[in-house]
Amino acid sequence: MTDPHLFIRTQTKIARPSLVPELKLHLATEIAPIWRATQTELDNAGVPPPYWAFCWPGGQALTRFLIDQPHWVKGKRVLDFAAGSGISGIAAAKMKAAHVTVAEIDEVAVTAIALNAKLNKVTVDIVTEDLVGRRDLGFDIVLAGDVCYERPMAERVFAWFAALADAGVTVLMGDPGRAYLPRKGLVEMARYQVPTSTELEDKDMRLTLVWRITSGAEA
């Protein structure tokens, strides 16, 4: 993709997520046009699907939780992992986290995160390297939304989350009941009914839980 800024600005609109109207993001208002536009790029240059352009239920629920209970991130060093639009990291910054790092390997998503952070008048650091398995990062809390949609991803990530929890790092995750949610090592923190689009989900409202990961998480 030659100009991700142009792609984002032409394929999205500034909108407020339904469960988190305090924030503004560059979001696709319809799935089909942006997916068709990105499919052309996929065919030509291997650009990933635009997951960053939608505010998924897990990310919305986790972000709602942080805004409602800002003590979880206030004054903390925060990592927003597999950040997508960057919504949870942006919320953490607004809730006065000491420092926020947003990790995302999709280069177009990285541009979207930067635009979204500017839109919400916060500063976040963005990293594009794969951090899974690293235990020397120095974060107090790790945030993750909707990471259980594929088995390899869930198994790899949750082994890391459990190791971080063992080391004293707080790990919070939002999940709307994805197929590969771990069977153990989860403590429920909150639950929300999140409005969704039937273009993306199998229903227009999804019960979504915020979990704290403990040692022994197993996909």
Side-chain angles (χ1 to χ4, degrees):
M1 183 176 295
T2 56
D3 189 346
H5 285 86
L6 180 61
F7 181 81
I8 292 165
R9 292 185 185 281
T10 57
Q11 296 294 330
T12 67
K13 294 182 179 180
I14 295 173
R16 295 180 183 272
S18 54
L19 196 68
V20 196
E22 295 91 337
L23 302 181
K24 297 181 290 184
L25 302 172
H26 292 270
L27 298 174
T29 55
E30 296 179 86
I31 185 171
I34 191 171
W35 221 272
R36 282 198 298 268
T38 308
Q39 187 61 51
T40 300
E41 301 290 347
L42 277 167
D43 293 341
N44 294 336
V47 173
Y51 296 116
W52 52 268
F54 304 97
C55 211
W56 301 90
Q60 287 201 57
L62 178 58
T63 304
R64 180 76 266 157
F65 178 78
L66 297 177
I67 292 175
D68 291 344
Q69 301 192 52
H71 66 275
W72 285 97
V73 292
K74 185 177 181 180
K76 304 291 180 61
R77 297 162 296 174
V78 178
L79 171 66
D80 183 7
F81 170 73
S85 67
I87 184 173
S88 295
I90 289 168
K94 290 185 77 69
M95 296 300 105
K96 303 188 184 305
H99 186 270
V100 177
T101 299
V102 177
E104 178 56 66
I105 61 174
D106 180 344
E107 292 183 3
V108 183
V110 166
T111 300
I113 291 166
L115 291 171
N116 289 334
K118 182 177 181 181
L119 193 60
N120 289 279
K121 300 179 181 178
V122 298
T123 299
V124 300
D125 284 342
I126 304 174
V127 298
T128 58
E129 63 184 293
D130 184 355
L131 300 180
V132 177
R134 294 272 302 273
R135 304 186 193 183
D136 59 343
L137 299 171
F139 297 109
D140 301 306
I141 183 167
V142 173
L143 311 173
D146 268 313
V147 295
C148 298
Y149 51 88
E150 293 179 348
R151 183 186 293 276
M153 171 76 163
E155 290 179 347
R156 182 168 178 254
V157 165
F158 272 90
W160 179 46
F161 285 170
L164 291 174
D166 272 342
V169 178
T170 299
V171 183
L172 297 177
M173 182 192 70
D175 185 89
R178 299 298 185 204
Y180 301 109
L181 184 70
R183 296 187 296 272
K184 61 181 182 179
L186 300 172
V187 176
E188 182 181 331
M189 306 300 290
R191 55 177 58 201
Y192 303 92
Q193 289 288 350
V194 184
T196 60
S197 168
T198 53
E199 289 186 288
L200 295 170
E201 303 282 353
D202 57 358
K203 56 189 72 174
D204 59 10
M205 189 77 70
R206 291 204 66 140
L207 176 63
T208 304
L209 276 64
V210 175
W211 300 99
R212 183 172 182 173
I213 312 303
T214 66
S215 60
E218 181 180 292

